[in-house]
């Protein structure tokens, strides 16, 4: 059931002024002010493939036009590997579609000697995609999606799907479900949705970055591997981030939300879903029970840093880059163009304040961290 949630406005069309922490050298408008930045650092990050198209464009613009002295290498290895590498301290920042658990935070603190920092940077939709233009706009609900992935529903003309699509001529093709074979935040968002909506799914499969899938499914590495699995298998159907579906030219389903509305995964529907999120101070949340005009399979992407252990130049670059990505008008517009919903103004202020905790405890907590860290 839907509950009373505080609404956080997420207005992709309304830019924010880059006022916090320098904002990547100031508001660049279109993100191309010709450079002039004075930072110098080389950063590495790893994690979710869900936001990778956006992250790569952000990094390119920032390193070429905002802070040419900053090099950022983000590896799209999946959320599971991103969390693992962050906890192993082999990267400067991690990324996942699932926030760090209390156990992860405790492990990070013990290993680093100081607290970890986590904050959301963007919202996105997980779409149900297929490689058949005649099926674009096919209506599915949580029960039919769960039935497809549990192999209780094996053809597109199954009565359960036909009931939701009385005006569509459905083929009798066999459905070939495609899933992530690596540890994946996209899988977490997808399986969390099904677990909250379908009791039988919750009891048999549950939620997580990796699942014990039913027999007869096809696995793919990262979002682009699932997209490839969809296109290469007749009857292929899979869950991917909206941006990957757009890039691959895949057809997508409308999904029935909590209010019974079949909703297509548009940017506006993702924004509407993100407004349903009740976001606590520790930024550990999920987007559940989406109604109205919201698309129901939606999630966020989190970035992880530490409050100590960085050389100061690296910490300055981390804070500056993510502040720029969150507040610059051009960066926010780019997110919208790729199908991601930027954070609303109030949430952005909260996130920037959290981000600025990066390396804030360095003088007190640098034992066991980088010996060259500069307080």
């Amino acid at each position: 059931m839907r509950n009373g949630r505080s609404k956080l406005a997420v207005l992709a069309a309304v830019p924010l002024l880059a006022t916090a922490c320098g904002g990547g050298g100031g508001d660049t408008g279109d993100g191309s002010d010709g450079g002039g930045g004075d930072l110098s650092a080389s950063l590495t990050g790893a994690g979710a493939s869900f936001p990778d198209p956006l992250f790569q464009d952000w990094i390119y613009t920032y390193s070429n036009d905002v802070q040419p002295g900053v090099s950022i290498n983000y590896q799209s290895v999946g959320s599971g590997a991103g969390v693992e590498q962050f906890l192993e301290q082999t990267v400067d920042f991690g990324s996942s579609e699932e926030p760090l658990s209390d156990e992860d935070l405790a492990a990070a603190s013990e290993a680093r000697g100081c607290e970890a920092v986590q904050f959301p940077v963007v919202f996105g939709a997980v779409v149900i995609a297929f490689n058949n233009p005649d099926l674009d706009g096919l209506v599915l609900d949580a029960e039919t999606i769960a039935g497809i992935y549990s192999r209780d529903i094996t053809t597109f003309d199954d009565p359960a799907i036909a009931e939701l699509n009385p005006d569509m001529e459905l083929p009798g093709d066999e459905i070939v479900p495609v899933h992530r074979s690596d540890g994946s935040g996209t899988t977490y968002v997808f399986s969390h949705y099904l677990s909250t909506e379908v009791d039988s799914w919750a009891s048999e499969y549950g939620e997580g970055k990796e699942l014990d899938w039913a027999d007869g499914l096809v696995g793919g590495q990262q979002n682009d591997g699932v997209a490839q699995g969809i296109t290469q298998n007749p009857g292929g159907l899979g869950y991917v981030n909206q941006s990957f579906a757009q890039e691959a030219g895949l057809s997508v389903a409308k999904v029935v939300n909590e209010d019974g509305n079949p909703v297509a995964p548009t940017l506006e529907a993702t924004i509407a879903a993100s407004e349903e999120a009740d976001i606590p101070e520790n930024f550990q949340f999920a987007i559940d029970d989406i109604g109205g005009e919201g698309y129901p399979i939606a999630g966020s992407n989190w970035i992880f840093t530490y409050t100590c252990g960085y050389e100061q130049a690296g910490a300055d670059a981390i804070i500056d880059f993510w502040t720029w990505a969150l507040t610059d008008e051009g960066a926010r517009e780019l997110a919208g163009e790729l199908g991601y919903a930027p954070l609303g103004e109030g949430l952005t202020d909260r996130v920037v304040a959290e981000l600025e905790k990066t390396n804030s405890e360095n003088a007190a907590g640098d034992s066991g961290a980088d010996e060259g860290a500069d307080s």
Side-chain angles (χ1 to χ4, degrees):
M1 297 295 293
R2 300 183 64 193
N3 53 35
R5 301 172 185 271
S6 61
K7 305 298 182 182
L8 297 170
V10 184
L11 304 176
V14 179
L16 298 177
L17 295 179
T19 57
C21 194
D27 182 16
T28 64
D30 63 358
S32 56
D33 66 350
D38 56 1
L39 298 180
S40 178
S42 179
L43 304 176
T44 58
S49 64
F50 182 93
D52 186 56
L54 176 60
F55 283 9
Q56 297 302 336
D57 281 1
W58 272 349
I59 290 168
Y60 178 86
T61 301
Y62 180 82
S63 295
N64 282 274
D65 300 331
V66 182
Q67 292 286 355
V70 176
S71 171
I72 305 173
N73 178 15
Y74 179 75
Q75 295 295 319
S76 171
V77 294
S79 291
V83 171
E84 181 178 348
Q85 291 183 33
F86 175 73
L87 295 177
E88 291 175 347
Q89 304 179 59
T90 58
V91 294
D92 297 303
F93 64 88
S95 165
S96 175
E97 272 72 70
E98 182 181 12
L100 294 175
S101 66
D102 291 342
E103 291 78 9
D104 291 332
L105 292 169
S109 177
E110 181 177 359
R112 187 82 161 193
C114 64
E115 300 300 318
V117 180
Q118 66 175 334
F119 48 87
V121 292
V122 74
F123 295 103
V126 175
V127 307
I128 308 302
F130 18 79
N131 189 30
N132 184 342
D134 294 334
L135 293 174
D136 193 41
L138 179 77
V139 176
L140 299 173
D141 59 12
E143 292 283 352
T144 53
I145 296 169
I148 289 169
Y149 273 87
S150 64
R151 301 303 285 156
D152 293 327
I153 295 175
T154 58
T155 62
F156 284 104
D157 62 354
D158 185 275
I161 298 178
E163 184 177 356
L164 293 169
N165 299 272
D167 299 324
M168 181 176 286
E169 185 174 344
L170 300 173
D173 300 346
E174 180 182 359
I175 301 173
V176 180
V178 186
H179 67 88
R180 288 285 292 272
S181 57
D182 54 329
S184 161
T186 308
T187 296
Y188 165 74
V189 173
F190 175 75
S191 61
H192 175 81
Y193 163 72
L194 292 180
S195 292
T196 60
E197 297 290 332
V198 183
D199 290 342
S200 59
W201 180 276
S203 61
E204 185 169 358
Y205 298 101
E207 64 181 57
K209 294 185 180 75
E210 296 181 88
L211 299 183
D212 185 11
W213 297 97
D215 294 334
L217 276 61
V218 173
Q221 288 278 328
Q222 304 178 28
N223 273 276
D224 49 3
V226 173
Q228 186 177 48
I230 295 169
T231 59
Q232 292 181 346
N233 288 280
L237 176 152
Y239 59 91
V240 293
N241 169 261
Q242 182 180 3
S243 182
F244 285 87
Q246 291 177 351
E247 184 177 341
L250 298 172
S251 301
V252 298
K254 295 179 179 179
V255 180
V256 178
N257 68 15
E258 188 76 7
D259 288 339
N261 300 323
V263 179
T266 63
L267 174 60
E268 293 76 15
T270 302
I271 292 173
S274 67
E275 291 176 346
E276 296 283 320
D278 183 10
I279 301 180
E281 290 301 315
N282 64 6
F283 297 111
Q284 292 173 313
F285 68 93
I287 304 175
D288 297 328
D289 306 321
I290 303 304
E293 300 302 316
Y295 179 76
I297 316 177
S300 184
N301 177 260
W302 283 260
I303 297 299
F304 315 131
T305 67
Y306 287 101
T307 56
C308 74
Y310 299 101
E311 294 184 4
Q312 195 57 44
D316 290 344
I318 290 171
I319 294 171
D320 194 76
F321 170 67
W322 288 111
T323 299
W324 172 84
L326 290 162
T327 62
D328 178 77
E329 177 181 352
R332 290 169 61 80
E333 289 178 350
L334 179 59
E337 290 171 5
L338 293 177
Y340 301 90
L343 309 186
E345 184 172 0
L347 180 56
T348 297
D349 291 343
R350 291 174 54 192
V351 166
V352 170
E354 190 73 12
L355 162 64
E356 289 176 345
K357 294 179 182 178
T358 300
N359 222 37
S360 61
E361 301 297 325
N362 197 56
D366 59 2
S367 60
D370 295 345
E371 293 183 359
D374 177 10
S375 64

